[in-house]
Amino acid sequence: MPDSQPQRPSHSSSRRGPAGPGSLLLSGARLADGRTVDVQLGDGRIEAVGTAGSLVVAGPPGADARVDLTGYLLLPAPAEPHAHADTALTADSGGPVSRAPRDVQHRVTEAALLQLGHGATSLRAHVRVGDVSGLGDLAAVLRAGRALRGLVGLTTVAMPRVLTGTAGADGLAMLRDALKMGAGVVGGCPDLDPDPTGYVEAVLEVAAEHGCPVDLHTDAADPARLARLAAMAGGLRPGVTLGPCGGLDRLPTEAARRAADQLAAAGVTVVCLPQGGCGDTGLREAAPVRLLRRAGVRVAAGSGALRDLANPVGRGDPLEAAYLLASRHGLRPEDAYEAVSGAARAALGLPEVRVEAGFPAELLAVRGDRIAGALSLTYSRIVVHRGRVVARTSAVREYGDSATATALGLPRQGRGRLP
C-alpha cells in the first residue's frame, strides 16, 4: 500500500521566524504562479511558506538545514504510476534475462533510483507472478522496496497471466499468496486470458476481498469488452486504473467517445504511456488523452518500459512524459505536468501535494522559471521526499566564447572555463 496516508492540511500559508530543529529551509524558490518564496519543511510536511527572506533556520553554524533554490522552479514531485522495474535495464542483456533474486533486486533498485533522480518520489511497479518465476520476482521487488524506504516509495502490482479455466485456479492461488506477501495492488492483463471478462471478474472479486486497488493492463481496443469492464468496475473502492489503453485511439471517434463516457461514469483512471508501450505486444499508440479528459476521465501519465526490450531507449523521466503530452497531444504545459504529478499521485492513492503549509513535503525543484521551460529543457533537479533532499542532478552549461554568451544573456551554469 502507499507509504503515506492522506492528512488534512493546515490552512496557514506562512509563518515568520526560525524553523525548529531538524527542519529544512528551501529559500528563494519560484512557484508556478510566479511568486518567489521560502518554504520550511519539517516532519515530512510543509510547515510554512513565506515571502523570500521571511523565514530563517535555527541551528548550529554550518548545519546543512538550508537549500538555496535561487533560479529554480519548485513543484509538487511527480509520481510514476506504471513502471516495470523487474524487467528494466535489460535491453542489452544479450540473452535470456536473469531471474535470479539478487539480479532482479539490483535492477529494481537501480531503476527506482534512476526515476527518483528524475523527480519521481513514488513508484508503482507491475510485477508478473506465476509462470517460471512464481513469486520470486515479487519477493525481490518487495525486498528492494524495503531497502529503498526513506528514499522513494515503491508499491507493487501483482500480475497473474491466467485466472480462468483449469489453469486459472493456480493463478488465483498465486494472486492471493502475492497479496499475503505484501503486494498492494491487484492487477493483470485480461487481454491475454482466454476469457477476458472472467479474468476481470476474478480480479475484482479478489480486490474486494482484500480491500485493494485494481490496476489492469489493457489495449482497450474492444469497445464491448471495455464497456463490460467499466460496468463491473464502477464504484469499486479504493479504485480501478487502466492502462495504457492505446487501442482507444484506433477506434472510430464516436466509439471512442462512448468508451470515454463509460470510463468517466465508472470513475476509472487511465494511465497513458506517451513515451512508448510496455510488454511484448509491439503496440506503441498512446491513449487519446484530450478525448478522455473532455469526457471527465482522470488521466495520468507513466513511463512504462525503462530500457527493456519493449523500449530500449526508455528514460523513465516524468518530465519527458509531460513534454510529450504537451508537444504531441496538445495539452497546456500545466495540465501535462499535472498528469505526471497530481493525477499520478491520485492514481496511486497518495495525498495531494501543494506548495502550501500542511501538505506533504514531496517536491521537485528544476532549473527555470516556468513549467513550459521545465518541460522543454531541464537537466538540473533537486528532489525532496518526506521533507529531505534525496537526489540531486546537476548540469553544467558552458560556451567556448564566454564573453559573447554573457553579452547575449544566454543561460549558463557552472563556474569553470572550457579549455
Side-chain angles (χ1 to χ4, degrees):
M1 298 298 289
D3 61 353
S4 58
Q5 296 298 320
Q7 298 183 29
R8 186 178 182 82
S10 162
H11 293 287
S12 171
S13 61
S14 65
R15 184 180 72 193
R16 295 179 178 271
S23 64
L24 178 66
L25 179 65
L26 309 177
S27 66
R30 188 179 180 90
L31 301 185
D33 62 12
R35 290 179 294 150
T36 301
V37 299
D38 292 345
V39 180
Q40 180 182 305
L41 313 179
D43 296 324
R45 308 193 75 78
I46 298 172
E47 292 185 336
V49 179
T51 57
S54 67
L55 301 178
V56 297
V57 175
D64 188 16
R66 178 179 177 274
V67 178
D68 184 1
L69 292 185
T70 301
Y72 281 82
L73 179 67
L74 187 63
L75 301 166
E80 173 53 72
H82 192 117
H84 289 270
D86 55 328
T87 58
L89 311 175
T90 58
D92 299 325
S93 60
V97 174
S98 171
R99 315 308 305 190
R102 177 175 292 221
D103 293 337
V104 174
Q105 184 174 347
H106 184 276
R107 290 198 300 266
V108 173
T109 302
E110 184 177 357
L113 291 177
L114 283 171
Q115 295 196 266
L116 175 64
H118 292 317
T121 62
S122 295
L123 300 94
R124 176 179 281 184
H126 295 253
V127 185
R128 185 68 55 83
V129 298
D131 299 332
V132 176
S133 61
L135 294 171
D137 287 359
L138 176 64
V141 175
L142 291 171
R143 281 194 298 272
R146 290 190 292 269
L148 289 164
R149 194 167 294 157
L151 288 174
V152 59
L154 178 66
T155 58
T156 54
V157 184
M159 297 180 58
R161 181 176 288 275
V162 178
L163 290 179
T164 65
T166 303
D170 292 337
L172 278 170
M174 192 77 68
L175 180 58
R176 290 188 167 94
D177 287 343
L179 295 173
K180 292 175 184 176
M181 285 177 59
V185 185
V186 182
C189 185
D191 299 358
L192 299 179
D193 193 284
D195 179 4
T197 300
Y199 188 105
V200 173
E201 290 173 344
V203 163
L204 296 179
E205 180 180 344
V206 173
E209 288 173 7
H210 293 264
C212 292
V214 170
D215 194 330
L216 293 171
H217 279 54
T218 179
D219 188 42
D222 185 331
R225 185 187 302 170
L226 191 62
R228 289 192 295 271
L229 193 160
M232 290 187 287
L236 184 74
R237 294 294 179 267
V240 175
T241 298
L242 300 180
C245 297
L248 280 174
D249 202 40
R250 301 194 298 274
L251 296 178
T253 301
E254 280 306 312
R257 285 177 180 162
R258 284 194 299 272
D261 289 340
Q262 292 160 350
L263 294 174
V268 171
T269 296
V270 171
V271 173
C272 65
L273 302 178
Q275 293 162 299
C278 63
D280 53 5
T281 63
L283 299 173
R284 309 285 294 181
E285 298 96 334
V289 173
R290 294 176 68 185
L291 181 147
L292 289 166
R293 284 170 51 87
R294 283 196 297 267
V297 178
R298 176 194 286 146
V299 178
S303 298
L306 174 57
R307 301 214 309 263
D308 65 16
L309 293 177
N311 187 359
V313 295
R315 296 181 186 174
D317 185 349
L319 266 62
E320 183 184 48
Y323 156 77
L324 291 170
L325 289 178
S327 65
R328 186 177 297 172
H329 296 272
L331 268 61
R332 296 188 316 124
E334 294 78 11
D335 293 334
Y337 188 76
E338 170 66 16
V340 301
S341 56
R345 287 184 63 85
L348 270 58
L350 296 169
E352 181 183 12
V353 173
R354 299 182 195 167
V355 188
E356 297 177 13
F359 285 85
E362 302 289 321
L363 303 167
L364 171 63
V366 296
R367 279 279 183 186
D369 57 5
R370 294 184 302 127
I371 290 179
L375 301 188
S376 173
L377 187 65
T378 295
Y379 298 116
S380 294
R381 308 182 191 186
I382 299 174
V383 186
V384 174
H385 175 52
R386 292 184 172 181
R388 72 187 188 98
V389 174
V390 292
R392 291 176 184 259
T393 301
S394 298
V396 175
R397 181 184 293 121
E398 297 179 330
Y399 302 96
D401 187 341
S402 59
T404 299
T406 301
L408 294 175
L410 296 176
R412 179 178 179 274
Q413 300 170 31
R415 299 177 181 175
R417 290 191 176 187
L418 293 178

